Amino acid sequence: MEDAVSRKKEEREKKAISIINRFLGFLVTTGILIGVAGLSLEYVLVKGPSPSLRDTFVMTMLETRRFGFIANIFLTDEEVAEIRSRNTITEEVELDTSLINIPGQNTGSEEGGEASPAEVVDYGLVDEDGDGIIIDQVVKKLCTGYMMIVQDPGRVFVGKPDSFGGSGLSVENMCKKYDAIGGINGGGYFDDGGGGSGGIPTGLTVSEGVFYNENAESGIFIGFDQEGILHVGNMDTATAHDVGIRDGVTFSLGPILVANGMPVDAVGITTGMNPRTAIGQRADGAVLMLVIDGRQAQSAGATYADLTEIMLDYGAINACNLDGGSSTAMWFDGDYVNNCSTNPRNLPTCFLVRREG
């Protein structure tokens, strides 16, 4: 009797092991097939007849921290470098700050004073609760996102952790640290290994009038002066002091999207489709804070051309791309507004918005 029970037990165990092995075999086979299909698709993209598709794929991979190596599977380092070089926007700009006239401030005339009603443009959006902030959903063909419009640029500032180094703070925790009503991710940062610790910013950083990383190499700087005017472009520390920057970050890659009300020339430039963050300013001083979701079924991501078009649609006079990808996040009044492509990253800098009063 015991032998019969033992045999049945062994048979059940063998059957269970057999089922598990078949399932594991199915998973391995499926993984191999998916891998082969993925490699085949990549080969068609990078070696096929469409240079535009090739460049879009390569730039999308290069703009990620973890998957940049994929671009090199079927292309040499020289070929990848040539594609990157050909599709990098490097145009220099000189801003005309007189195009920004913030109500209640000197407009540049001898009398100064507040802007006249004719100078205040109606952009077709309504601040329903009267808090000076409007969040509008952005919908394009291949991506979705959100635009936060802050009517008073004096409320926008750069937040940072207590100290740089180690791990930074998520946009949520940065807002909580400063009791800010909302914010978006900011400038570039060192991220060894792609782990998202985000504790050290790259380039000059200014937070509430205090300068950090002053000896860093100059790069594309995005910041507000004491009057609330947004400056975008290559800027070194000495120039930032001369201009009177009170809050700003560096994102060396940029690029500048809009300058003096005109799109920055990007004819023939191909960029990847990824989650994006950008900041801009209208003629009346209102700050435009944009996030675009990406790497998701409902939103593939945006190109720089998409960001430029969106910023112009919302009346931007000047605008610049910020760090994006897995860093892209918008927080407002207790929750994330957008769908982050990963768990929200820790960052060294964010553009935050003060509560009223």
Side-chain angles (χ1 to χ4, degrees):
M1 185 69 176
E2 291 182 0
D3 290 342
V5 173
S6 179
R7 283 196 300 271
K8 288 183 179 180
K9 183 178 180 180
E10 289 178 1
E11 289 174 359
R12 286 196 298 269
E13 290 176 350
K14 288 180 180 179
K15 187 175 182 179
I17 293 173
S18 176
I19 293 173
I20 292 173
N21 286 336
R22 288 179 183 178
F23 180 68
L24 292 176
F26 169 77
L27 291 179
V28 171
T29 302
T30 302
I32 292 174
L33 290 174
I34 292 174
V36 170
L39 290 173
S40 299
L41 176 60
E42 180 183 351
Y43 184 85
V44 171
L45 289 173
V46 302
K47 296 294 186 178
S50 174
S52 177
L53 282 176
R54 177 199 61 207
D55 287 8
T56 298
F57 174 77
V58 170
M59 293 302 293
T60 298
M61 293 299 102
L62 292 178
E63 290 166 1
T64 67
R65 286 186 171 90
R66 295 182 178 179
F67 303 110
F69 71 92
I70 293 177
N72 289 93
I73 293 179
F74 293 115
L75 296 173
T76 65
D77 290 341
E78 291 74 18
E79 289 173 321
V80 171
E82 191 275 332
I83 292 172
R84 182 198 290 271
S85 175
R86 180 160 38 80
N87 292 294
T88 298
I89 302 173
T90 58
E91 181 171 338
E92 296 284 344
V93 300
E94 184 175 346
L95 300 186
D96 180 1
T97 56
S98 69
L99 296 175
I100 308 297
N101 295 305
I102 302 172
Q105 294 186 4
N106 194 309
T107 63
S109 64
E110 292 183 2
E111 293 81 7
E114 294 187 1
S116 68
E119 295 173 323
V120 180
V121 180
D122 180 4
Y123 292 88
L125 299 171
V126 179
D127 180 10
E128 295 180 352
D129 55 7
D131 66 350
I133 299 172
I134 300 171
I135 296 181
D136 193 39
Q137 186 173 22
V138 176
V139 179
K140 289 188 71 67
K141 186 177 297 184
L142 295 176
C143 62
T144 60
Y146 295 89
M147 178 73 81
M148 183 190 300
I149 302 157
V150 184
Q151 295 171 351
D152 178 7
R155 295 174 64 180
V156 180
F157 68 103
V158 170
K160 58 176 286 294
D162 290 334
S163 62
F164 291 129
S167 182
L169 295 173
S170 65
V171 179
E172 171 187 357
N173 288 328
M174 201 82 79
C175 287
K176 291 178 178 179
K177 175 181 185 292
Y178 286 89
D179 191 30
I181 187 66
I184 58 173
N185 58 292
Y189 56 92
F190 295 103
D191 185 24
D192 293 337
S197 59
I200 305 175
T202 57
L204 175 65
T205 301
V206 186
S207 176
E208 298 182 299
V210 181
F211 280 61
Y212 303 90
N213 286 359
E214 293 194 75
N215 296 323
E217 293 184 7
S218 61
I220 294 182
F221 184 81
I222 309 99
F224 294 88
D225 63 22
Q226 297 292 341
E227 303 299 321
I229 295 176
L230 177 67
H231 296 254
V232 297
N234 287 310
M235 184 180 294
D236 57 23
T237 300
T239 304
H241 278 289
D242 292 341
V243 171
I245 294 296
R246 64 163 170 80
D247 288 279
V249 302
T250 298
F251 188 51
S252 297
L253 297 176
I256 300 167
L257 304 169
V258 181
N260 303 322
M262 300 295 293
V264 173
D265 186 13
V267 176
I269 298 296
T270 299
T271 61
M273 299 179 65
N274 278 303
R276 305 283 188 188
T277 304
I279 191 167
Q281 188 170 43
R282 295 189 321 208
D284 62 355
V287 179
L288 307 173
M289 304 168 74
L290 173 67
V291 294
I292 297 292
D293 290 333
R295 303 172 191 167
Q296 302 170 34
Q298 70 275 17
S299 183
T303 64
Y304 293 152
D306 292 331
L307 295 186
T308 300
E309 181 180 335
I310 294 168
M311 280 294 182
L312 289 172
D313 286 344
Y314 282 84
I317 297 299
N318 301 306
C320 191
N321 181 58
L322 294 170
D323 189 22
S326 299
S327 299
T328 290
M330 177 184 287
W331 173 271
F332 183 75
D333 199 19
D335 202 359
Y336 281 103
V337 177
N338 68 309
N339 295 315
C340 303
S341 62
T342 63
N343 289 330
R345 286 196 167 210
N346 290 328
L347 311 165
T349 59
C350 294
F351 278 105
L352 304 180
V353 183
R354 291 187 175 88
R355 296 180 184 275
E356 286 186 285

